[in-house]
Amino acid sequence: MTEILGLAADNLISPIILSFALGLLAALARSDLSIPEAVAKGLSIYLLFAIGFKGGAGVAAHGIDARLVGSLVAGLVLSALLPFVAFALLKTLTRLDTLNAAAVAGHYGSISIVTFVAASSVLTGRGIGSEGYMVAVAAVMEAPAILSALWLVARSGKSADIDAGLWREILLNGSIVLLIGAFLIGWITGEEGLAEIESFIVAPFKGVLCLFLLDMGLVAGRGLRQSRGVLGGGAIAFGVLMPLVGSMFGLGAGLLLGLSPGGVVLMMVLAASASYIAVPAAMRVALPEANPAIYLTLSLGVTFPFNLTIGIPIYVAIALALTGG
């Protein structure tokens, strides 16, 4: 417990977390501080490209082996399975109807790439290495959860609009395309390619992440302010409990695969995070009757800040304790 508190304290005073806190407090205080949408989009593109490229270069240096393939399979299974766990938990803790519960559950099988990036930065700061291919695991975990959520709705007898537009939204979502594309470029060009653009994607990375999290804090704060009365205590409890439950599934997968301590942490983070980009876009197409104020506020306004401030230190401490890292 002492180690977790120490990690949490160090994390809370990091520039990354304080940038998010600044945005959150500014939004709650109704400040006119804002990041232009085009700038925020540019920051997102930079982060996705950088993390994807570095992951691909890491795979080029590591090579393809059974553990990499096993990690990809584990990611797919976790993404498909966790929405069912989340759905059961929501039905226990809240009074959400099936449609909204399924929409929320889909977010908790998919991933938050920014939470993944923040955890990677924490590991780098502590000198803890991890498998470069974990970014590929993040990419494959984006879509299966959406299909699980739609199955939950269809099973209840309600309709889910599954058409060509939805498949396009799932498979050609910009964040997925960019992440996988940058990963492939990094894989093809390897360490030599990384060396060529290192000054662009390594040195400025944390500064760009701080600005992006400032914007995320503003978005989360506005969502919390506007959704007062929408979420009950049970839903908020779910937003904190589900990432802890999900992380245990990730922990089990990481230990079974024999990942490094850092790899186990990242598998836990992926299983604990909740999407607020890819899945909301898909839900708007497939389940337009679901309430965005519920699923977006839970994923971005409750789970995201929980993971950033408290969750990541817990996952790091548990993984290091069980792997001897």
Side-chain angles (χ1 to χ4, degrees):
M1 179 60 72
T2 302
E3 183 178 1
I4 292 175
L5 291 175
L7 283 167
D10 291 341
N11 203 36
L12 286 171
I13 60 172
S14 71
I16 294 171
I17 303 303
L18 291 176
S19 297
F20 178 82
L22 173 60
L24 184 68
L25 293 174
L28 292 176
R30 301 180 184 273
S31 167
D32 63 356
L33 174 64
S34 66
I35 303 290
E37 185 177 349
V39 174
K41 184 69 173 177
L43 296 174
S44 174
I45 290 172
Y46 171 87
L47 292 173
L48 288 168
F49 182 84
I51 193 67
F53 193 100
K54 289 187 287 185
V59 169
H62 176 274
I64 298 177
D65 58 17
R67 189 169 295 163
L68 184 156
V69 175
S71 297
L72 293 174
V73 172
L76 285 168
V77 172
L78 285 172
S79 182
L81 172 66
L82 287 172
F84 294 96
V85 178
F87 185 80
L89 195 56
L90 281 164
K91 285 298 187 180
T92 301
L93 295 176
T94 74
R95 296 181 179 179
L96 290 180
D97 60 83
T98 297
L99 187 71
N100 280 296
V104 171
H107 290 67
Y108 286 81
S110 189
I111 60 100
S112 159
I113 194 63
V114 180
T115 307
F116 177 85
V117 171
S120 299
S121 296
V122 170
L123 293 177
T124 300
R126 293 179 59 85
I128 302 171
S130 61
E131 289 79 1
Y133 55 74
M134 290 304 297
V135 67
V137 179
V140 302
M141 290 182 70
E142 288 270 19
I146 299 171
L147 300 179
S148 294
L150 298 183
W151 187 88
L152 284 166
V153 173
R155 186 189 64 170
S156 71
K158 299 182 181 294
S159 62
D161 186 10
I162 306 176
D163 57 14
L166 176 60
W167 283 111
R168 181 179 178 84
E169 189 69 53
I170 293 173
L171 299 177
L172 295 180
N173 180 274
S175 61
I176 298 176
V177 171
L178 180 56
L179 190 63
I180 294 176
F183 178 86
L184 291 174
I185 294 172
W187 187 8
I188 293 168
T189 59
E191 293 183 312
E192 291 183 2
L194 179 60
E196 288 184 29
I197 60 172
E198 184 174 10
S199 60
F200 173 68
I201 66 171
V202 176
F205 185 83
K206 286 190 176 180
V208 174
L209 181 58
C210 285
L211 289 177
F212 185 76
L213 284 174
L214 171 64
D215 183 59
M216 286 293 95
L218 290 167
V219 174
R222 294 185 194 114
L224 286 171
R225 200 179 68 223
Q226 295 168 3
S227 63
R228 287 178 182 173
V230 175
L231 300 179
I236 294 173
F238 166 84
V240 173
L241 182 59
M242 184 59 204
L244 296 174
V245 173
S247 72
M248 293 300 101
F249 282 85
L251 173 65
L255 293 177
L256 285 174
L257 290 165
L259 298 179
S260 67
V264 173
V265 171
L266 292 181
M267 188 67 84
M268 293 176 72
V269 168
L270 289 173
S273 61
S275 173
Y276 51 81
I277 298 175
V279 179
M283 290 300 109
R284 282 196 298 270
V285 174
L287 303 176
E289 301 89 355
N291 188 351
I294 297 174
Y295 56 70
L296 264 180
T297 304
L298 275 174
S299 62
L300 183 57
V302 179
T303 298
F304 182 63
F306 169 79
N307 275 328
L308 280 186
T309 56
I310 302 172
I312 291 174
I314 292 174
Y315 312 145
V316 171
I318 292 174
L320 294 183
L322 293 181
T323 60

